[in-house]
Amino acid sequence: MARKTPITVVALMVSGSLLLSGCTITADISDWWSETFGDASGPPTVREEFPYVREGRIFQDTGQDTEMHFAVTGLERTDDYTVMYYEVTYPDEFSGPNRNLSMAHTLVDPLSGRVYRQFLDDGGLKYGSESPNEDGLYPVHDGVTNEYVRYFPRIPDEVQQVTFVGSGLGAMTGIPVQDVEEERPDPESPNGPDHLSLDNPPPRGENLTFVNRRPDEDAVADEGWVQSFVDSEIASTTRDGDREIISLHSDVMFEFDRSDLTADAEDVVRRAATTLASNVDPDEPTITVIGHTDGIGDDSYNDTLSVQRAESVRDLLAEELGTDFTLEVEGRGKREPVAREGGPDDDEARARNRRVEFSYVFNTTVEATEEEEYDDDGLGVAQRNVTWPAPYDADPGSVVAEGELDGVRLEVYPLRRDGAYVIGTVALTNTTDEPTIPDMGGQEAVQAGGPEQFNKGTLGGFQLLEPESGLVRYVAQMDFGEGRYSSFAEEVHMLQPGNTYNLVAVFPAPPVDVEELTLRAGPFGEFEEVPVEY
């Protein structure tokens, strides 16, 4: 799967109207929409109401975490690119060279999970509005608006609205994509280079503009997928692009050092076969059964044991599935652990690493049945739940829970559905007189033996728990290939005294009937009955 888009190549992209496995919009989601909003005619109307504005405090590398006014003034799809126009204003005092510490500007299709980042040159500089000194910095004057242009890969025609992240002010949902025949004209007389000195601001009421540099043959842009992880006591599912991996936890599968299935394991595999029969793409009916071991023992022994365990599962799966699928076997021994062994939760980590996986391309046309939606036996992790993209709303709602730890106050806002995901918004306030970096838990905050890959970043310890089903939803991440991942959450940096910062973490969505979840907020503890809103 190609992860970088050179400007000279037209990439094959997945339609925004196609969903990953588990359900389609036209059936269960329309019914839910009708029951909730009284309108079954289709998705909410996409209204073009530019500018889309956010205001708040952002992290700067110098600690000058001032208020920022951020406005998306256009998102246009041409024959070659997606072009984003936006404006930034700092109303308060702001001086010296500063860098915004937010994640990179990213456009997300919340239905397909496809993600797009802006075009860069081989030096890592952005195309569009040029930095006057070619160092990535721009002149900033108090109360003066800077106008910017940025280029992204062309988003598929079927995608009508996207979610934007990267301003440092949370996720901006429901941004409409406008189709145009040609780009807006470049600034006639870019004045940014004329006002590099703080002593030389532009005349009152005049915006700063910059020379526009369009992508050339050296331009590349990262493209990837939102990768999600849902866990239960029996199984977990990782979903990335068009591939799904169901992992059966080996504690219910095998006795220590054995490759024959336990009685409980046989029942689990038979139920997994039902899930696989529904989810595997009939046009690519290959299921790879992959065995893994923990880190005890040498490579040769573990390679053999992992193959034997995979073969045991394969043989029973073949009885259940018949001849409609091709079953392949791989043994990867101890080479691909998902949890770090040797720590205080060593037993749990080893148990997590002893697993058997089913890897396959999923069927995007399958509709969820009522039984699948309410499946609470642990294999319901394979269900993907999709609603319409969330309309734009600058207001995160009212605080529903709060806690405090070491002088840092955490406030929790309602969870908000956005396509296949829910957006969790929290606010952190430093109530002390000194700058502080809060202990967000990180690796120490996750469940014992949890998968390291989904625990990265300062909000990596956050999880959503479905109390009735017991399913645990981890913070999603963006997979750009070649081992390059980015957490789908804003990072927490140094909190300045008295300042409040809004941050978001994005999770795979629960079924549409789930109206409340428990937020596991690392060392801040658990917050029950957090509402899930549209």
Side-chain angles (χ1 to χ4, degrees), residues 155-187:
I155 293 175
D157 292 334
E158 295 83 0
V159 179
Q160 298 185 53
Q161 52 197 133
V162 296
T163 296
F164 169 72
V165 292
S167 68
L169 299 175
M172 301 175 70
T173 61
I175 306 299
V177 184
Q178 302 169 305
D179 288 296
V180 298
E181 293 184 0
E182 59 184 22
E183 292 179 44
R184 301 180 186 182
D186 293 341

Side-chain angles (χ1 to χ4, degrees), residues 85-330:
Y85 303 89
Y86 66 98
E87 298 177 349
V88 174
T89 309
Y90 295 97
D92 299 327
E93 184 176 346
F94 193 66
S95 63
N98 295 264
R99 291 184 185 272
N100 185 332
L101 296 179
S102 65
M103 72 173 75
H105 286 186
T106 307
L107 301 178
V108 183
D109 174 9
L111 297 185
S112 71
R114 193 75 166 148
V115 294
Y116 310 86
R117 283 192 168 164
Q118 55 202 325
F119 281 103
L120 305 176
D121 62 20
D122 54 10
L125 294 177
K126 305 167 186 175
Y127 286 88
S129 299
E130 277 195 304
S131 170
N133 292 329
E134 298 183 356
D135 57 1
L137 295 174
Y138 297 81
V140 172
H141 297 274
D142 298 341
V144 175
T145 296
N146 286 19
E147 299 180 13
Y148 296 102
V149 181
R150 294 290 176 236
Y151 291 88
F152 295 79
R154 189 180 190 278
I155 293 175
D157 292 334
E158 295 83 0
V159 179
Q160 298 185 53
Q161 52 197 133
V162 296
T163 296
F164 169 72
V165 292
S167 68
L169 299 175
M172 301 175 70
T173 61
I175 306 299
V177 184
Q178 302 169 305
D179 288 296
V180 298
E181 293 184 0
E182 59 184 22
E183 292 179 44
R184 301 180 186 182
D186 293 341
E188 290 186 5
S189 301
N191 61 349
D194 300 330
H195 300 283
L196 298 181
S197 171
L198 294 176
D199 299 327
N200 182 26
R204 180 178 297 275
E206 183 176 319
N207 293 352
L208 288 187
T209 58
F210 304 91
V211 173
N212 186 34
R213 179 175 63 133
R214 287 178 174 76
D216 54 28
E217 65 277 2
D218 296 323
V220 293
D222 280 331
E223 294 185 58
W225 297 91
V226 177
Q227 189 181 63
S228 60
F229 184 84
V230 183
D231 198 19
S232 77
E233 292 183 356
I234 294 176
S236 62
T237 293
T238 304
R239 190 170 290 110
D240 186 1
D242 61 353
R243 185 158 293 275
E244 197 164 68
I245 297 176
I246 296 179
S247 176
L248 302 183
H249 304 332
S250 288
D251 273 11
V252 298
M253 299 293 291
F254 307 99
E255 300 290 347
F256 177 74
D257 206 30
R258 297 289 297 272
S259 61
D260 53 318
L261 292 165
T262 66
D264 287 344
E266 290 188 9
D267 180 57
V268 170
V269 173
R270 293 185 194 280
R271 283 186 280 139
T274 301
T275 298
L276 292 168
S278 298
N279 286 1
V280 175
D281 187 344
D283 294 329
E284 297 189 50
T286 297
I287 302 171
T288 304
V289 184
I290 307 168
H292 300 267
T293 69
D294 61 28
I296 298 176
D298 60 33
D299 288 343
S300 177
Y301 179 82
N302 281 309
D303 286 349
T304 300
L305 179 60
S306 65
V307 170
Q308 291 172 343
R309 287 179 168 177
E311 288 175 340
S312 295
V313 174
R314 186 268 319 273
D315 293 344
L316 181 56
L317 202 61
E319 293 179 14
E320 296 295 309
L321 293 177
T323 59
D324 291 338
F325 300 90
T326 300
L327 302 180
E328 298 180 347
V329 167
E330 292 183 13

Side-chain angles (χ1 to χ4, degrees), residues 67-88:
E67 293 283 329
M68 182 179 74
H69 176 101
F70 184 93
V72 178
T73 58
L75 187 64
E76 299 180 351
R77 178 167 43 209
T78 71
D79 290 340
D80 301 311
Y81 324 108
T82 304
V83 189
M84 178 175 166
Y85 303 89
Y86 66 98
E87 298 177 349
V88 174

Side-chain angles (χ1 to χ4, degrees), residues 54 393-400 412-416 425-426 502 533:
R54 277 287 175 86
D393 192 342
D395 183 3
S398 301
V399 174
V400 296
V412 180
Y413 293 90
L415 298 160
R416 191 161 184 240
T425 300
V426 298
N502 283 349
E533 301 178 350

